[in-house]
Amino acid sequence: MLDSVLVHSPATLSNLGCGFDVLGLALTAPYDTIRMWRTAVPGVRIRHLDGYCLPTDPAHNVAGVALLALLREVPEAAGFDVEITKGIRPGSGVGSSAASAVGAVVGANALLGNRFTKMQLVEFALAGEMVASGARHADNIAPGMFGGFTVVRSLEPVTDITALAAPPLWVAVVHPQIEVKTSDARRVLPATVPLGLAVRQWANVAGLVAGFLTADYALISRSLDDYIVEPARLALIPGLAEARARARAAGALGGGISGSGPSIFMLNQTEATAQAVGAAMGSVFAELGIAFNTYVGPVGTEGARVVEEVL
Ligand code: HSE
């Protein structure tokens, strides 16, 4: 039996434009680093080795809640000591809470001899995601767990997750330093959708999945737009429309709000284009006087994974 493990848990894109709560994509960076020890002392003890002042009470910590949900299914007494270094800034819109929850349950599973399937781990991680965003959406958890491009077909309960290999793509993300809480960004959404709009949206979802499966970049480019959720959230992210326009002019295939924001993502065919697109989006926030970070990297083929084991 292992004594301790070190886990890397990557950032993820959710929604991917048109696929609200359903589509997701794993990134390679940034990622959270989680070191965990199995203990005979029941319960979960959490320390953060970063400067984000996240709660350490396991009942109020995303990783803690996910681990407590997992431990309820473990008959023998077991507990975990957990040290988390957040490489993904909380509230940035690239799946920070999902990375904590997924990384923690992946580490716990390794320490317990891999007794749970990934689908069971998704269920535990969802309990953690609920704490962060007030909703059991699995669109960040799925790519965080399985890697690649993921489709969550069933929402409650989450029983169908399909992970597909994505074609070679480079992702540019700009994170303007403004606060957009997922719970607030969900509150502005329409309760009902006109049928015509819904048809356009699910046509795009189908087109996007087909584009990923066939590596048809032109189809991916035509299919990313979100006609329902992004228009409702536009006012939450100053500079979004201009960032999109400059990104497209710089060669991006397309993109939109990353999750519930405030980050904006763009998909690109080459690293050089992604770098230019990241710079083009950043220039908008520089002009607005809003501090920002940019990330450029390839799509991640792996989700959270154990990178070091100690017996
Ligand atoms: N699908 C979720 C939303 C992702 O857009 O609210 C939150 O990160």
Side-chain angles (χ1 to χ4, degrees):
M1 196 69 94
L2 294 172
D3 265 352
S4 91
V5 289
L6 185 69
V7 175
H8 285 175
S9 192
T12 50
L13 301 179
S14 55
N15 300 346
L16 271 191
C18 57
F20 177 70
D21 277 1
V22 166
L23 301 182
L25 193 64
L27 304 181
T28 47
Y31 56 83
D32 288 352
T33 304
I34 304 177
R35 185 172 288 282
M36 296 178 63
W37 294 261
R38 183 183 171 165
T39 67
V41 186
V44 176
R45 289 147 300 271
I46 294 176
R47 283 205 313 143
H48 278 282
L49 305 184
D50 50 54
Y52 293 120
C53 302
L54 292 170
T56 53
D57 174 353
H60 296 107
N61 177 287
V62 169
V65 170
L67 289 173
L68 292 173
L70 177 146
L71 281 174
R72 279 194 285 278
E73 302 299 320
V74 178
E76 71 272 24
F80 302 109
D81 286 345
V82 187
E83 265 180 14
I84 303 176
T85 307
K86 294 291 298 172
I88 311 167
R89 189 181 276 259
S92 52
V94 287
S96 181
S97 53
S100 295
V102 170
V105 296
V106 165
N109 199 34
L111 290 172
L112 293 170
N114 290 314
R115 67 177 67 186
F116 297 111
T117 65
K118 285 191 174 186
M119 280 306 294
Q120 286 173 305
L121 296 181
V122 163
E123 195 56 35
F124 304 139
L126 274 167
E129 185 71 286
M130 181 75 195
V131 175
S133 69
R136 281 170 47 91
H137 59 88
D139 49 347
N140 290 107
I141 288 173
M145 187 69 74
F146 294 95
F149 172 58
T150 51
V151 180
V152 182
R153 193 210 56 83
S154 58
L155 300 184
E156 199 55 74
V158 176
T159 50
D160 284 343
I161 293 178
T162 306
L164 303 164
L169 278 167
W170 283 79
V171 183
V173 176
V174 63
H175 173 213
Q177 316 268 295
I178 50 178
E179 194 183 358
V180 178
K181 288 204 173 101
T182 297
S183 47
D184 293 340
R186 293 180 82 87
R187 227 169 276 131
V188 301
L189 300 179
T192 59
V193 178
L195 182 62
L197 215 51
V199 172
R200 289 179 74 195
Q201 187 89 354
W202 64 57
N204 266 5
V205 173
L208 192 55
V209 174
F212 268 87
L213 283 175
T214 58
D216 183 336
Y217 293 100
L219 182 59
I220 291 172
S221 180
R222 290 195 298 278
S223 305
L224 282 159
D225 285 347
D226 168 9
Y227 303 114
I228 295 170
V229 174
E230 189 168 300
R233 291 176 167 172
L234 206 53
L236 300 175
I237 306 173
L240 171 60
E242 184 59 24
R244 173 198 297 285
R246 287 191 202 177
R248 292 300 286 255
L253 293 169
I257 302 175
S258 176
S260 57
S263 289
I264 302 167
F265 79 97
M266 289 285 151
L267 301 185
N268 309 277
Q269 272 187 264
T270 67
E271 180 178 10
T273 308
Q275 295 287 1
V277 165
M281 292 196 289
S283 70
V284 175
F285 295 100
E287 286 166 25
L288 290 172
I290 297 173
F292 63 93
N293 296 319
T294 51
Y295 308 106
V296 171
V299 168
T301 53
E302 288 184 295
R305 64 200 171 93
V306 173
V307 295
E308 195 183 304
E309 298 177 337
V310 178
L311 285 170

